[in-house]
Amino acid sequence: MAWSLVKPERRGAVLLEASDAVRRSIALGMSPDEIAAVVRTLDSDDIADLVSSLPEDLRHAVVERLDRTDQDEVRSVLSFPPGTVGAIMDMDFIAVREDTTLEAVQRLLRRRKRLPAHTNQLFVVDRSNTLKGLLPLSRLLLEEPETSVGEVMIRQPVYFYTDDEVRDAVDAFEKYDLISAPVVNLHQQVVGRITVDAVVDEINARAQSESLRQVGLSEEDEDLFAPIARSARRRWPWLVLNLLTAFFASRVIGAFEDIIAELVALATLMPIVASIGGNTGNQSVALVIRGLALNQLGPSQLRQILLRELQINAINGALWGAVLGLVTLAIYHHLPLAAVIAAALLLNMLVAALVGVLTPVALHRFGRDPAMGSSIILTATTDSMGFFIFLGLAAAFLV
């Protein structure tokens, strides 16, 4: 087994980077004492992240075998609901008093030998550990040593409560270019900090999850090592939806069988109209989902983005419809057919813009995840409408 080849001192870091399924399978083959020995080299927030994926009884057994300090910190982190700042905070931070001189703070840091990762500022607190301000390391190094912390500290710091949503912290880190920030409880007492590496991990996880939801997969399907039967069952609803929409699209084509038989070129050109419509609509879907995630789409903004997407697709549809028409004319030497496919491409791109904007908005209004399956619904609509528009125009003007 590859796990046996990992050096004991590296096992904690390796286990932390493994997927949940792999981590669980390895942990279930180990005793609580072995797991505790492996994770003891990690920081408390990393230990909490690792043991949170274990079965509850095994999780408690592992925590009970940790050092007293680690036990308290891990239990504190695990007590916060997933998706909150408290659940991802780091409890390793440095706090100083505002009446301390900068020289005394420097001596304190030298005695520590090392700083916690991503430390760009120290937290200034009073005797009850209440947050008073922040001391950037740049001011600590550049100001006169006799200066007190209170004279140079930042008195209006950016901070977070333990029950704040992680997505709010991500937005703040992006807006203010933060590296670290204090986390406080309801009494304004500092209990930890949130760092840029945790925020980047959250951004990556959010991006990966969103990319999966856009094609109808849930977060449980993200793990490549998840059980096959369970993953297969989770995909059934969207496969059924695809089957129904594909059947509907086939019936649209079937309604025009006589026309296709009379003009075979229609069969070779149909996929072009449908494909371009789907790709164009997915661009609109991505913009709308981003706007919904950032709370930027009120009624007026929705009308504005709908009109904007229709205008953009009208321009692109007219331009590339003309190009497609010219290519069709060059291949088939049939001017009416070239005009029909140019018009069909334009109309289907307008449909794609309309559906691409309204589908995620409608899912959001009904309390559904707008990213979950929007592209599937869009593709089904643009395929069916693309076939119907193209073949309908052909029936009207070519036969």
Side-chain angles (χ1 to χ4, degrees), residues 85-86 89 131 157-174 176 178 180-186 188-195 199:
V85 169
M89 70 178 178
L131 181 66
V158 177
Y159 62 90
F160 302 96
Y161 289 99
T162 53
D163 58 351
D164 283 345
E165 296 290 335
V166 171
R167 62 173 176 266
D168 295 331
V170 170
D171 293 340
F173 267 71
E174 291 178 337
Y176 300 112
L178 302 177
S180 65
V183 179
V184 301
N185 58 22
L186 294 178
Q188 298 283 317
Q189 296 171 318
V190 179
V191 294
R193 64 179 184 138
I194 182 171
T195 57
V199 171

Side-chain angles (χ1 to χ4, degrees), residues 204-315:
N204 291 336
R206 181 193 299 182
Q208 293 171 5
S209 178
E210 184 172 305
S211 66
L212 289 170
R213 293 199 304 271
Q214 287 180 355
V215 294
L217 296 177
S218 63
E219 294 183 14
E220 288 82 357
D221 296 308
E222 182 178 348
D223 189 358
L224 297 176
F225 302 96
I228 294 175
R230 187 183 69 183
S231 296
R233 286 195 301 271
R234 291 185 184 279
R235 301 185 188 189
W236 286 352
W238 295 107
L239 291 176
V240 171
L241 177 60
N242 278 343
L243 182 62
L244 294 175
T245 55
F247 180 79
F248 179 76
S250 71
R251 298 322 305 151
V252 171
I253 298 173
F256 296 92
E257 285 180 353
D258 295 339
I259 300 170
I260 296 173
E262 189 171 334
L263 190 57
V264 179
L266 296 176
T268 62
L269 295 173
M270 281 190 308
I272 300 176
V273 177
S275 176
I276 294 179
N279 290 336
T280 301
N282 276 320
Q283 295 172 350
S284 300
V285 166
L287 290 174
V288 173
I289 289 176
R290 183 177 184 274
L292 291 171
L294 298 177
N295 296 320
Q296 294 177 342
L297 284 187
S300 60
Q301 290 83 5
L302 178 58
R303 287 192 295 270
Q304 181 180 355
I305 193 173
L306 177 59
L307 180 61
R308 178 179 180 272
E309 290 300 302
L310 288 172
Q311 290 173 337
I312 291 173
N313 281 11
I315 294 172

